[in-house]
Amino acid sequence: MSLALLLAPFLHGVARGAEAADTFAHPPELEPDVRVWIRVYTEVTTDQGLLHDDWNLGLVYEVLRFDPADSPRQRERIVAQAKAHYAELLRRFAAGATDNLTAHEKRILHAFGEKTTPAQFRDAIDRIRFQLGQADRFHEGLLRAQAYEANISRVLADRGVPAEIGALPHVESSFNPAAYSRVGAAGLWQFMPGTARRYMRVDSLVDQRLDPYSATEAAANLMLYNYRLLGSWPLAVTAYNHGPGGLRRAQDELGTSSIAVIVKRYQGATFGFASRNFYVAFLAALEVDRNAEKYFGPLTHLPDAQSTVVVLPDYIPVDALAKAFKADLGALRVLNPALRPPIWNKARFVPRGYALRVPGSPQPAEIAAAWAGLAPTTRYIVQRNDGPHRVRRGETLAGIAAASGVSLNQLLAANGWSGTRELARGEVVHIPVPASRAEAAVAAAATPATPATSVLAATTAPPALVLPEAQPEPPIARPPPPKEPVSERQAESTALLPAAAPSGNADTTDYSVGPGNTVVVQAAETLGHFADWSKVGSQSLRALNRLHKSAMVTLGHKVKLDLSRVSAAQFEAVRRDYHRQLQETFFATHRISGTENYVIKRGESLWIISQQRADLPVWLVAEYNPDVDFADVRPGTVIALPRVEGINRQ
């Protein structure tokens, strides 16, 4: 299916799709800002910076230069002194004191223009901003990018995402897969945890934001989602920083999808410097990336290395895997940055189903030999979870033992108990290290079948060994090690844009209270929810809305609230928290791997499509189709359905 056919039904109205033909627009009114960012990327290093106007980027007051030995505090003091100096100069301009100016001061005055009013000079004081240079960092990023550009190009092409998006990590992380921002974004594509969990596994054992391969697939899926909602690639890029909900509000408020109009005119409360400059910074990075030798001269091509992906059939200690594949543990760690410290310090096993990268390009026979050489005592059917377990309602010792991969006798011994006993809710039970497949098989064979041990035997019997398919990867250039910030303070001051990466919630739903204390019913909401959140009775809400006692509110229905006991802000906060918890619970065990089209058939409703056809939460289908009126949906309407996969969190 062509990209146009795939995306056309989801463009956000005719006007919003008008820009789609020009994939990445270069509006003339944005070109001056693009040129400033090119300068930041190619001329000004991290030992320098521009003191400039944050609205008119071309108005540069001074290029500040630091001694490389200066501490972050010393740099901050130099910047503060320079800001104070130019603030005083602007006050002089506002007061009309334009005599006895230096040539440099005359240049600044001339840049404002002859008709600048005193008030405009005073307003400019609050717009003085410092931007650290990035030229040396961008050069390092160009070298690191060699390790990932082939994979990024392939993933973007496979998903129908424009190849230009491959330059975005220059803006986000300088192609540093280990990058962390001060607000919690991580990895090559700088995903925030909440957004990342829609597309990847992010927990205490595995953080796929740090795996450049998994994160690239997630970034492609997120970009497609943004484009489906906004109908414009420039806005999809901007939404990567600001969130698609904010950009939809900008479209609605200004009645346009023009990136230039939105950048220059939108005054959203959170649409600050970072969001306003994200697209022009991206265009600048794209220009420098495509003409790297023009700006930096010949680049050093790094030596290639190869890795192969093998999918683990069991939970296995990482040192056992290193031994089986004859790999250095350090090299294995470099290739698998998503595995977190509990894996490397042996507190937990590498999870079953994990796509492990091993050095080189072993042949299938070599991989089979590696699995065959893996001792059965190093293979486990459950994750290691030795430690305290708090008993939940209805749990038994036998059930806890079975779920933990240990025998009942092991569990009793670990807790100093001589026999089975009743468990109280909230009681703490210590879980020993689970049995390996070999130990479990011996225990199952030697233990008479009882209800408890038969459950254990059924869950620990070793299956026939199925070798996972090896997935050879293209050569990978080894990137130079990224520079680490010396402190959080310095990390903040050297950040390219202050509000990192996809921090906006992917949920575009408007949960606010509208005029007349009304709300529009969203998926997974009932009148009972509204009553609870506003702390009034359901019957009073029915009476207020003249609803029959058996009538139900449906998606898109407008309901009037009684806010005599809570404020609108309090109601909105509880409502948002309810939906946040719904989404977090779902994405704790599921991830979005793509999107497909679905043609609605006669008699189908949102509920039927979600529950019977796609096995998806109603709220997720509604979220992917915010412009579809499911209360009046017609046969033949094409909607987007996310492809969702279960994810192992152990």
Side-chain angles (χ1 to χ4, degrees):
M1 178 177 294
S2 70
L3 175 61
L5 180 60
L6 177 67
L7 297 177
F10 311 106
L11 300 185
H12 198 49
V14 176
R16 296 182 175 183
E19 208 174 18
D22 184 5
T23 306
F24 292 101
H26 287 68
E29 53 267 57
L30 297 184
E31 282 300 321
D33 294 348
V34 174
R35 288 197 297 271
V36 171
W37 284 110
I38 291 175
R39 184 182 180 189
V40 169
Y41 288 149
T42 63
E43 298 178 14
V44 188
T45 73
T46 53
D47 286 328
Q48 304 168 326
L50 303 181
L51 204 66
H52 66 95
D53 185 284
D54 74 358
W55 187 261
N56 177 12
L57 300 191
L59 174 54
V60 176
Y61 294 102
E62 185 179 346
V63 178
L64 300 182
R65 293 173 172 81
F66 307 112
D67 187 315
D70 285 346
S71 68
R73 187 177 297 277
Q74 288 172 314
R75 292 188 173 203
E76 290 173 359
R77 185 160 48 248
I78 292 170
V79 171
Q81 289 171 348
K83 284 184 175 181
H85 169 74
Y86 288 103
E88 180 57 31
L89 179 63
L90 292 176
R91 292 189 188 95
R92 287 169 53 198
F93 291 165
T98 57
D99 296 332
N100 302 318
L101 297 178
T102 67
H104 177 63
E105 292 169 341
K106 289 179 181 178
R107 180 189 64 81
I108 294 173
L109 180 61
H110 179 72
F112 275 93
E114 295 180 359
K115 297 183 179 181
T116 305
T117 66
Q120 290 172 327
F121 281 123
R122 288 191 293 269
D123 289 343
I125 293 173
D126 293 330
R127 299 200 306 268
I128 300 175
R129 179 182 182 272
F130 174 73
Q131 172 61 53
L132 192 74
Q134 301 287 312
D136 49 338
R137 185 167 295 163
F138 202 102
H139 182 258
E140 293 169 358
L142 287 168
L143 299 180
R144 284 194 289 265
Q146 297 176 56
Y148 313 112
E149 57 190 10
N151 176 71
I152 291 174
S153 296
R154 178 183 59 79
V155 170
L156 296 182
D158 286 349
R159 284 163 174 74
V161 176
E164 291 90 337
I165 296 297
L168 192 59
H170 283 300
V171 180
E172 292 294 344
S173 66
S174 296
F175 276 89
N176 176 4
Y180 277 94
S181 81
R182 64 182 180 86
V183 295
L188 199 74
W189 295 89
Q190 287 289 283
F191 272 90
M192 294 292 286
T195 304
R197 289 189 179 100
R198 289 175 165 251
Y199 306 101
M200 298 176 279
R201 177 174 177 176
V202 179
D203 54 41
S204 62
L205 298 185
V206 177
D207 187 346
Q208 289 184 306
R209 296 179 301 166
L210 302 174
D211 175 11
Y213 299 92
S214 298
T216 295
E217 293 178 358
N221 287 329
L222 176 57
M223 277 296 183
L224 277 178
Y225 174 77
N226 288 348
Y227 181 75
R228 288 178 183 276
L229 296 182
L230 301 167
S232 158
W233 283 112
L235 294 187
V237 168
T238 307
Y240 196 84
N241 175 273
H242 186 66
L247 269 299
R248 281 174 63 89
R249 285 189 290 275
Q251 287 176 314
D252 291 336
E253 182 177 314
L254 299 177
T256 182
S257 287
S258 166
I259 184 64
V261 173
I262 288 174
V263 163
K264 294 299 183 181
R265 291 179 50 194
Y266 183 52
Q267 299 294 320
T270 59
F271 196 71
F273 181 86
S275 298
R276 199 170 69 244
N277 279 271
F278 198 76
Y279 183 64
V280 292
F282 163 73
L283 291 180
L286 182 60
E287 157 66 19
V288 178
D289 179 81
R290 289 188 164 181
N291 300 279
E293 294 196 353
K294 168 185 172 182
Y295 293 102
F296 293 104
L299 298 178
T300 302
H301 290 279
L302 302 177
D304 291 341
Q306 288 191 332
S307 67
T308 300
V309 173
V310 292
V311 181
L312 303 193
D314 291 306
Y315 296 89
I316 303 172
V318 69
D319 52 348
L321 288 167
K323 182 178 180 181
F325 287 97
K326 299 181 175 60
D328 177 77
L329 201 59
L332 206 61
R333 188 164 191 170
V334 169
L335 290 173
N336 296 275
L339 297 178
R340 307 311 297 138
I343 302 291
W344 299 106
N345 64 26
K346 319 301 191 306
R348 296 291 185 269
F349 305 137
V350 182
R352 178 172 59 198
Y354 182 76
L356 184 78
R357 288 184 178 273
V358 297
S361 52
Q363 300 302 305
E366 296 175 285
I367 295 173
W371 290 127
L374 198 62
T377 54
T378 63
R379 301 178 59 165
Y380 297 80
I381 61 161
V382 295
Q383 180 61 267
R384 177 172 184 166
N385 191 30
D386 49 322
H389 169 79
R390 193 169 296 278
V391 177
R392 296 183 289 269
R393 185 189 302 275
E395 285 191 314
T396 64
L397 280 172
I400 294 172
S404 304
V406 299
S407 71
L408 181 59
N409 288 336
Q410 285 177 306
L411 188 65
L412 292 172
N415 289 275
W417 297 328
S418 58
T420 57
R421 53 191 292 273
E422 292 289 330
L423 294 176
R425 182 182 180 186
E427 186 176 356
V428 174
V429 176
H430 184 75
I431 309 295
V433 177
S436 66
R437 284 198 177 278
E439 295 166 332
V442 171
T447 306
T450 65
T453 57
S454 62
V455 171
L456 178 61
T459 59
T460 57
L465 179 57
V466 178
L467 297 180
E469 180 181 353
Q471 303 173 37
E473 293 294 322
I476 300 173
R478 295 188 181 277
K483 292 182 178 179
E484 295 295 335
V486 298
S487 69
E488 179 181 296
R489 192 71 175 172
Q490 186 181 24
E492 176 181 351
S493 66
T494 61
L496 174 61
L497 293 170
S503 53
N505 192 340
D507 183 0
T508 62
T509 307
D510 184 1
Y511 296 119
S512 61
V513 176
N517 288 341
T518 60
V519 292
V520 176
V521 179
Q522 304 297 340
E525 293 182 338
T526 66
L527 199 68
H529 287 121
F530 297 148
D532 289 343
W533 300 337
S534 53
K535 298 184 179 180
V536 299
S538 295
Q539 292 307 316
S540 66
L541 275 189
R542 288 188 179 277
L544 183 62
N545 288 273
R546 299 180 180 178
L547 293 173
H548 186 270
K549 63 180 180 180
S550 60
M552 298 177 63
V553 295
T554 58
L555 183 67
H557 189 97
K558 184 173 286 188
V559 173
K560 185 173 179 60
L561 302 174
D562 176 354
L563 296 181
S564 60
R565 298 186 179 181
V566 299
S567 67
Q570 290 172 322
F571 179 92
E572 291 169 359
V574 176
R575 189 186 192 193
R576 288 193 182 94
D577 189 61
Y578 164 75
H579 287 279
R580 179 187 58 78
Q581 290 185 39
L582 274 182
Q583 295 170 22
E584 287 182 355
T585 299
F586 180 78
F587 288 116
T589 54
H590 300 82
R591 73 179 182 97
I592 296 171
S593 59
T595 313
E596 59 190 5
N597 289 356
Y598 182 80
V599 181
I600 296 179
K601 301 174 180 61
R602 186 176 302 278
E604 289 186 328
S605 64
L606 174 61
W607 189 90
I608 290 174
I609 295 167
S610 302
Q611 301 295 299
Q612 297 184 8
R613 298 282 188 257
D615 192 23
L616 293 170
V618 171
W619 57 262
L620 186 58
V621 176
E623 181 181 297
Y624 264 71
N625 300 274
D627 298 312
V628 175
D629 181 3
F630 283 100
D632 187 28
V633 69
R634 300 185 180 185
T637 301
V638 182
I639 64 172
L641 291 179
R643 289 197 303 272
V644 172
E645 299 175 353
I647 188 169
N648 173 26
R649 293 289 183 180
Q650 291 188 313

